[in-house]
């Protein structure tokens, strides 16, 4: 029995092992050093993405200021806001999931909107105007795209998006975009958004037998057949005797 057991032993390999690195970011130190901030608001204001302020909102978890935020000061006076926070480029595949918590300051009397976008080439190209998106043409999520007052969550709420439609392993990047058509101190929209407890979860990798496994299985089946045939012949000899 030992040879047969060895012959049919299985070994597996992962299909398409390249995938996004698992990521957990609690923003304990504000905006991570390897993330990119691009403020294309018109005209550009005095702030972009920054360490959260407990005066406006306490973090979802951890220290009160351990989250990142963007607000109406992304644009000077009044105008369109387009304030980007771009994650590092990585290798992605279908099923990879981005999750995070977000909230505005409460009570909020002005609309907020946050997008999640994806670039299938990676990098940081978001164009140079408030309306441009560069290579980040894939919109995965928009929280309050109609810019309705009171429609953005006023308590920490989790959102998740999963990638699909990729043609194999893809070099790409996620981005968060604080975007409003007419924000600013004198605009008719924009208050404050916080983002906390962000994570990227790679898709489950399916394991399949390697080629040598099929050969071993075939050998094992052949061995089983040979043993059965030998046993049958032995039985016939015994009856004849």
């Amino acid at each position: 029995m030992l040879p047969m057991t060895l012959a049919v032993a299985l070994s597996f390999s992962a299909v398409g092992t390249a995938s996004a690195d698992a990521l957990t970011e609690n923003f304990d130190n504000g905006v991570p050093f390897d993330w990119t901030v691009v403020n294309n608001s018109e005209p550009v204001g005095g702030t972009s993405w920054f360490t959260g302020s407990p005066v406006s909102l306490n973090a979802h978890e951890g220290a009160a200021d351990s989250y990142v935020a963007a607000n109406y000061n992304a644009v000077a006076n009044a105008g369109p806001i387009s304030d980007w926070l771009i994650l590092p480029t990585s290798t992605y595949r279908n099923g990879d999931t981005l999750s995070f918590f977000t909230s505005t300051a409460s009570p909020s009397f002005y609309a907020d909107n946050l997008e999640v976008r994806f670039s299938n080439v990676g990098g940081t190209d978001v164009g140079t105007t408030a309306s441009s998106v560069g290579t980040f043409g894939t919109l995965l999520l928009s929280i309050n795209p109609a810019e309705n007052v009171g429609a953005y969550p006023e308590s920490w709420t989790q959102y998740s998006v999963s990638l699909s439609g990729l043609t194999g392993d893809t070099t790409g990047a996620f981005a968060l975009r604080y975007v409003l058509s007419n924000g600013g101190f004198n605009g008719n929209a924009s208050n404050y958004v916080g983002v906390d407890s962000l994570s990227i979860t790679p898709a489950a990798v399916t394991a399949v037998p390697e080629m040598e496994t099929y050969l071993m299985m075939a050998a094992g089946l052949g061995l089983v057949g040979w043993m059965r045939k030998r046993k049958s012949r032995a039985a016939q000899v015994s009856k004849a005797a």
Side-chain angles (χ1 to χ4, degrees), residues 2-3 6 16 37 84 108 119 126 133 143 147 169 197 237:
L2 181 58
L6 292 176
V37 172
W84 296 81
S108 178
S119 165
V126 294
V133 295
I143 306 172
E147 300 183 16
D169 299 330
S197 304
V237 172

Side-chain angles (χ1 to χ4, degrees), residues 7 11 16 21 35 53 77 91 95 100 126 138 148 163 167 200 228:
S11 62
D21 294 329
W35 294 29
S53 170
N77 191 24
T91 301
F100 61 94
V126 294
T138 301
N148 293 321
L163 295 175
T167 55
I200 293 177
R228 286 181 176 176

Side-chain angles (χ1 to χ4, degrees), residues 191-204:
N191 180 29
Y192 183 100
V193 296
V195 173
D196 199 2
S197 304
L198 182 145
S199 64
I200 293 177
T201 304

Side-chain angles (χ1 to χ4, degrees), residues 172-195:
F174 285 105
L176 305 178
R177 183 192 186 201
Y178 183 50
V179 55
L180 293 150
S181 59
N182 184 24
F185 184 81
N186 290 318
N188 58 17
S190 74
N191 180 29
Y192 183 100
V193 296
V195 173

Side-chain angles (χ1 to χ4, degrees), residues 41-57:
S41 303
E42 298 175 348
V44 175
T47 67
S48 189
W49 285 88
F50 52 87
T51 300
S53 170
V55 174
S56 298
L57 178 69

Side-chain angles (χ1 to χ4, degrees), residues 124-140:
T124 60
D125 177 14
V126 294
T128 58
T129 69
S131 61
S132 65
V133 295
T135 63
F136 288 81
T138 301
L139 178 63
L140 299 173

Side-chain angles (χ1 to χ4, degrees), residues 61-105:
E61 59 182 2
D65 65 347
S66 60
Y67 68 100
V68 291
N71 69 3
Y72 62 91
N73 282 322
V75 66
N77 191 24
I81 291 177
S82 181
D83 195 5
W84 296 81
L85 181 61
I86 307 168
L87 281 67
T89 298
S90 185
T91 301
Y92 292 98
R93 63 187 303 158
N94 291 325
D96 289 345
T97 300
L98 172 72
S99 298
F100 61 94
F101 284 82
T102 187
S103 176
T104 186

